[in-house]
Amino acid sequence: MDRLTEYLNKYGLLSGDVKVYLHRHGRLKNYSKGEYFVTQYDIQHSWCFLLEGLAGYQTLDNKGGIRLERLCPANHYFVGTKHIYSKSTNRTAIQFLQASVVYIISNEDLKKGIRKYKNLNEIYHILKQHELELTKIFLRIPNLDRIERLKYLYDQLPSVKEKLTVRELCSLLGYTDDRQYYRALDYYHNQRS
């Protein structure tokens, strides 16, 4: 729990009352690599802050294959519904791509805390802005030339480098085969030298 409050404290807004509230209403949970938080049609009415590890959002393509849509790196959050004010599914599965440690609080408890504590509301909005910036990264990837996608991902999210398999990277970056990945990897190394 200390890692959560330590991270949130960097914004200078975390009061003692909020720390107590988050400690009382949330919990830490460890997940193994490959474990699912939620499947595509399930609902978890929880807000989760990833303290350590890596999670991925997955969807089924029209052929029934799993497609990695975006990532949730450490110090970002995900929700088991569309958003904390929704009771419906986001229609994406969330799988842990690395062993992970997650702070979990129910959507209801988080909403109550946001209403009760002005500084928790401000922190939530800061984190939401970080999520919007993260989303922009994954929205831009399909618009780039295939050869530039890996470099862009690593430049924007250096923390995910060497945490994904070739198969996961191909799925995330829209590569149809390993050759496209290895060409992009060569391009990445050439651009860095």
Side-chain angles (χ1 to χ4, degrees):
M1 204 62 78
D2 291 337
R3 286 191 287 175
L4 174 71
T5 54
E6 186 179 307
Y7 178 81
L8 297 179
N9 219 14
K10 76 178 194 172
Y11 298 111
L13 300 167
L14 200 58
S15 67
D17 290 347
V18 171
K19 287 179 189 177
V20 169
Y21 186 87
L22 293 173
H23 185 63
R24 183 175 298 141
H25 294 282
R27 70 189 196 295
L28 293 180
K29 185 167 181 186
N30 294 310
Y31 288 91
S32 301
K33 179 178 178 172
E35 194 172 346
Y36 280 88
F37 176 74
V38 65
T39 62
Q40 190 163 350
Y41 299 106
D42 290 338
I43 297 174
Q44 286 278 354
H45 298 282
S46 302
W47 181 89
C48 303
F49 188 81
L50 191 63
L51 293 165
E52 179 182 313
L54 182 66
Y57 293 73
Q58 301 172 340
T59 56
L60 292 176
D61 63 23
N62 57 2
K63 296 177 183 173
I66 295 173
R67 185 177 182 305
L68 189 57
E69 195 172 83
R70 63 173 284 197
L71 302 172
C72 179
N75 299 325
H76 286 270
Y77 73 86
F78 58 89
V79 184
T81 55
K82 285 183 181 177
H83 48 79
I84 66 169
Y85 297 98
S86 173
K87 301 231 186 272
S88 59
T89 179
N90 196 21
R91 295 198 182 243
T92 56
I94 299 173
Q95 183 183 35
F96 294 98
L97 305 174
Q98 295 283 302
S100 299
V101 178
V102 181
Y103 170 80
I104 302 172
I105 187 170
S106 75
N107 289 346
E108 284 305 313
D109 286 335
L110 181 60
K111 290 187 296 190
K112 285 178 190 173
I114 287 170
R115 285 191 298 269
K116 185 173 182 177
Y117 301 105
K118 180 182 181 234
N119 51 353
L120 182 57
N121 184 28
E122 290 176 31
I123 290 168
Y124 177 73
H125 280 84
I126 291 168
L127 295 175
K128 191 159 184 65
Q129 184 60 43
H130 291 314
E131 289 311 300
L132 292 172
E133 296 302 317
L134 185 64
T135 298
K136 286 179 188 177
I137 293 169
F138 294 104
L139 289 174
R140 182 158 186 229
I141 287 173
N143 296 322
L144 297 171
D145 288 338
R146 288 185 194 277
I147 201 162
E148 296 174 338
R149 293 175 186 179
L150 184 68
K151 180 182 181 310
Y152 176 76
L153 177 68
Y154 286 168
D155 287 348
Q156 297 299 311
L157 293 173
S159 66
V160 305
K161 189 176 176 187
E162 298 178 14
K163 289 188 178 179
L164 297 166
T165 66
V166 171
R167 185 174 164 204
E168 290 166 341
L169 282 165
C170 286
S171 177
L172 179 65
L173 299 174
Y175 298 150
T176 55
D177 56 44
D178 292 359
R179 287 178 298 185
Q180 289 179 339
Y181 164 75
Y182 287 111
R183 277 194 293 271
L185 185 60
D186 285 343
Y187 176 80
Y188 169 73
H189 288 301
N190 290 336
Q191 293 296 311
R192 300 208 36 98
S193 12

